[in-house]
Amino acid sequence: MKFGGTSVESASALERVASIVKARLDRQPVVVVSAMGKTTNRLLEIATAAAEGKQNEALKLLSDLKEYHRREATPVIKSDDAAELEQILTDHFGELQDYVAQIAEVEEFSPRLVDSVSSLGERISSRILTLVFRHFGIDAVHLDARHVIVTDSRHTQASPLLKKTYARLAQTIPPLVAKHVVVMGGFIGSAEDGATTTLGRGGSDFTASIVGAGIHAEEIQIWTDVDGMLTCDPRIVAGGRRVKTISFAEAAELAYFGAKVLHPATVHPAIEKNIPVLILNSRRPEVEGTRIVSTSVPCRNVIKSIAAKPNITVVKVQSLRMLMAHGFLRRIFEVFDRYPTPVDIVTTSEVSVSLTIDNPRYLTEICEELRAIAEVSVEKQMAIVCVVGDSIQDTPGIAGRVFRALGDINVRMISQGASQLNLSFVVAENDMKPAMQALHEEFFRDLDPEVFD
Ligand code: ADP
Ligand code: ASP
Ligand code: MG
């Protein structure tokens, strides 16, 4: 059972989590928890302030964050545990203060130091949740995720070393879980040299699925702040409906193209061990949520959901030398490889290649190298919009419906994913919301009750 940031953001949210877990003790849950509320963002702000030489501001933010944890935890732990809470806060925020001093001294921070700082949210929340559980009569034990989640050393974006991790999970958790509720932080792990690592933003979902796979869980439950996977991101289009069941492949596609409700890597361990993943609402635990399973049930609606990713950069590479030439694409992609930058969508014509990137960190260097072989133009503030459904591939007329619905919205790139279960296109960021609204209107007016709520 994984509880996200908003599910543990306040005293009342923590209490709700305790009651959800308490009602499910017979299933012997392992609990994976995110940092409380927006703590990860706050921690990164603290590190940034320190690196910018604003040490006083960093320390003020630090003390506010410590006070926030104290304020929300105190009402939901035993009064006998108040000293333990104080010790947890002193230890972890003391450690943060040391990092702030280190960062302030050199006015920069390495990815390794970023991980040390950003991991504190989950290290603290998991300790606090263990105390909260005890207060509500749950026999809970804390497990430091860094003892079981072994990763490579790619700080801030580490990948789990699954074989080692599964072995440690299988060794550690079963003896504990028979008697206790195991509580651990999501998002964090440790490299083989012992350094603390993180799995990338939103990575607690991934931790939950790694743990589920490692102990052959019956189910992986992702508890969050919405009723499940919806037909559209509720922050972009209101009135989205709950998708009751969806396939792993469809969910992965949606997650990858912007449905933040699930970290994109989450489905992989679950697929490997064929464990269903449920998305549930911690504010409304009675709602049955979304069930993600290996094969989806037949559905009258071709499209299951629409996702979008703003803040996309389009790089267009053009050269007459491409005409009839070979090896050109290789040379282009090698540049993106040298400056580790994932490419999401690619379209090509005889003399040009357009591609989209999400992370513009190395954009200047990439463009400089590409200019040596071709003309390059860059468009920022673009968005990818993506419709997903596993019968897109064998239903005629979907592209027609999509582009008719878009009316006069200017479409810059089009790609029918190689997986054939998505159709994605790029528009200017300003057109993202109208495009989503138009598509939602087109595809979700009449819903199959077997699949949608
Ligand atoms: P948590 O802190 O629980 O991990 P997140 O904020 O990471 O929660 O993910 C939940 C959010 O994902 C929702 O509040 C919603 O705004 C967003 N979201 C984006 N796309 C979808 C979608 N298709 N269905 C449901 N939620 C979505
Ligand atoms: N706390 C981490 C983040 O904010 C991981 C997570 O919540 O899943 O990115
Ligand atoms: Mg999340």
Side-chain angles (χ1 to χ4, degrees), residues 2 4-5 34 201-205 222 224 260-263:
K2 176 263 175 175
S34 289
R201 295 304 306 269
S204 294
D205 301 335
I222 308 290
T224 181
K260 189 187 167 216
V261 65
L262 203 65
H263 183 279

Side-chain angles (χ1 to χ4, degrees), residues 113-133:
L113 205 45
V114 172
D115 275 351
S116 300
V117 170
S118 65
S119 65
L120 282 164
E122 273 73 5
R123 290 174 55 200
I124 298 168
S125 66
S126 55
R127 299 249 171 213
I128 288 179
L129 190 60
T130 309
L131 296 184
V132 173
F133 281 174

Side-chain angles (χ1 to χ4, degrees), residues 2-5 33-41 118 121-122 186-187 200-206 263:
K2 176 263 175 175
F3 293 90
V33 65
S34 289
M36 286 169 61
K38 298 258 173 274
T39 296
T40 313
N41 290 354
S118 65
E122 273 73 5
F187 179 56
R201 295 304 306 269
S204 294
D205 301 335
F206 191 22
H263 183 279

Side-chain angles (χ1 to χ4, degrees), residues 2-7 34 37-38 202 204-205 222-235 254 258-262 305-307:
K2 176 263 175 175
F3 293 90
T6 43
S7 299
S34 289
K38 298 258 173 274
S204 294
D205 301 335
I222 308 290
W223 291 84
T224 181
D225 63 348
V226 279
D227 282 350
M229 187 76 98
L230 307 178
T231 49
C232 191
D233 184 340
R235 286 165 308 178
L254 287 164
K260 189 187 167 216
V261 65
L262 203 65
S305 181
I306 310 169

